[in-house]
Structure formats: structure tokens, C-alpha cells
Amino acid sequence: QSVLTQPPSVSAAPGQKVTISCSGSSSNIGNNYVSWYQQLPGTAPKLLIYENNKRPSGIPDRFSGSKSGTSATLGITGLQTGDEADYYCGTWDSSLSAGKVFGTGTKVTVL
Amino acid sequence: EVQLVESGGGLVQPGRSLRLSCAASGFTFDDYAMHWVRQAPGKGLEWVSGISWNSGSIGYADSVKGRFTISRDNAKNSLYLQMNSLRAEDTALYYCAKDSKWELPPDAFDIWGQGTMVTVSS
């Protein structure tokens, strides 16, 4: 249903790196800023990355964002057990009624 | 402390109405656009509706257009969502979220409430 596609799950051992892709089109990612959200189990989403690659105050530099064409990527280095969560990308889609769209979500598992 | 607190959720029969509220504190409410985002049990995030700082711009997801109405009262630092003709598929946890800027279209959502659960069932 979502117009932004993410892998359902990724996993890695503690200390390793994971990347999460977010694939869209020219009406969304291709021409608009991407943000990323972390949702820990049983909690509300939290902003991790805004304007493609900027981190809000308090977000460690282990989290990074990038965008190329109609895709965006979230990277997490030095993986910690506390990073186990669902991650969502989000952007504006100009083909919709002034609406924001979110990705399908990716579950990160720390092995 | 910057905070959003939702209320008004509950169990409602199909076809009935419900009004959600979101109380904001810790920031200048009328400087920012605000949004409702929902999450069905075990599912992903879905943007529902957004409203600009002065209510001049409003947007709805196609799934709720014509049934839901978003509004805000800047004097009361409050956001509302009037939900009419509720359906089973509207069952979800409804989050109030603050935009990082004052206008639509939506930008990054930098503050989220804890959500209020809406269950539509007979």
C-alpha cells in the first residue's frame, strides 16, 4: 500500500553496521527531503534523520542518512542491542493530497 | 518539557463518531504545522491529516477524506481530529505529531505523542 519500499528486516551482530534502503519515485523521494524514524517496541516513533542527512540534537552520529535519485538509505554503525526497533522512512509525495508518506518499515535485529 | 498528549480514544461502533484531542506544551504551538498519524495493530505508519500553523492549509489521506476533520485551537494549544462514519479499518493507535515547520506540505515530524487507541467494532 505504501509508495515507499523498505526491506522487511535486516540483522547484524553487535558492533557491526546495517543499512536500510527506502525506494520511491520522482514524485516523492526524487524531489523532496527524506526523514527517518525509529520506533522502539511499544513506544512512539522518534525522529532520527531529517532533510536527508541531518541529525536532531541528541541523536548519536552512529546514525546517518543519504539520498540518491529516488532512493534513500539509513545507516547504523556500531550496532547496539538498544537499536533493535522498527525504522521508517518518510517524505512528501506531490502526487497525493498534500500528504506525507511513510515507508513499509524495517525491523532491525541485533544478533 | 516538550510534550504532546493525546486523548479521546476508545471503543466505538461502526458508523459512529469520535473526537480526538492533542494537548501541546513546551513549545510555541502556533509556530508549527501539526499532524495525525495512525498505526493499525502490527502494521506500519499511515499519515492521516495535517494542518498548517494558522489552519490555512489542510490535507487528508484519501482513506479518510470526507469522513475526518482536523482542526486546531492555538489559544488552547490543542489539535483535534473529528472522526465520523468510522469503519473497522480505522482501528489504530492515533498519534499526534509536530511538524518541523509551519506550513504544509509535511516536513519532518520532530515530536510525537504516545498515542490514543481507537477501536471500531460492534
Side-chain angles (χ1 to χ4, degrees):
Chain A
Q1 184 175 354
S2 174
V3 298
L4 304 180
T5 302
Q6 299 178 230
S9 63
V10 297
S11 60
Q16 298 300 302
K17 174 181 179 179
V18 295
T19 60
I20 300 171
S21 60
C22 176
S23 178
S25 67
S26 58
S27 66
N28 43 67
I29 293 177
N31 284 285
N32 299 294
Y33 285 131
V34 176
S35 50
W36 288 90
Y37 304 86
Q38 176 194 59
Q39 188 174 32
L40 296 169
T43 69
K46 174 184 177 181
L47 179 65
L48 277 184
I49 297 289
Y50 67 99
E51 291 182 4
N52 302 333
N53 55 19
K54 298 178 181 177
R55 284 176 288 105
S57 174
I59 300 301
D61 59 6
R62 300 188 298 105
F63 296 91
S64 64
S66 64
K67 190 183 95 168
S68 178
T70 59
S71 293
T73 301
L74 174 71
I76 310 174
T77 59
L79 202 60
Q80 302 175 359
T81 55
D83 297 332
E84 279 209 345
D86 293 321
Y87 293 82
Y88 296 90
C89 58
T91 188
W92 173 52
D93 193 308
S94 57
S95 69
L96 302 176
S97 48
K100 188 174 181 79
V101 289
F102 291 99
T104 48
T106 298
K107 170 68 176 178
V108 169
T109 300
V110 182
L111 301 173
Chain B
E1 180 189 6
V2 177
Q3 197 172 11
L4 296 172
V5 179
E6 303 92 337
S7 61
L11 174 63
V12 61
Q13 294 179 329
R16 303 299 290 265
S17 299
L18 209 58
R19 188 195 196 206
L20 306 184
S21 299
C22 171
S25 59
F27 65 97
T28 306
F29 182 71
D30 54 9
D31 275 354
Y32 299 96
M34 297 293 296
H35 303 268
W36 289 99
V37 177
R38 68 185 181 184
Q39 187 170 34
K43 302 297 184 181
L45 303 174
E46 179 188 16
W47 177 82
V48 173
S49 181
I51 185 169
S52 64
W53 69 282
N54 64 351
S55 304
S57 296
I58 287 175
Y60 297 97
D62 288 343
S63 57
V64 306
K65 198 174 296 182
R67 300 187 299 122
F68 290 11
T69 302
I70 192 172
S71 62
R72 64 189 296 163
D73 185 335
N74 288 344
K76 295 182 177 179
N77 289 344
S78 293
L79 177 72
Y80 306 101
L81 185 68
Q82 178 67 42
M83 304 186 296
N84 298 333
S85 303
L86 282 162
R87 305 167 180 168
E89 54 264 37
D90 295 319
T91 294
L93 186 60
Y94 284 73
Y95 293 105
C96 167
K98 170 187 168 292
D99 203 308
S100 57
K101 61 181 180 68
W102 64 92
E103 257 297 353
L104 298 184
D107 205 310
F109 296 174
D110 54 7
I111 302 295
W112 296 66
Q114 287 307 301
T116 186
M117 186 68 199
V118 173
T119 303
V120 184
S121 175
S122 54

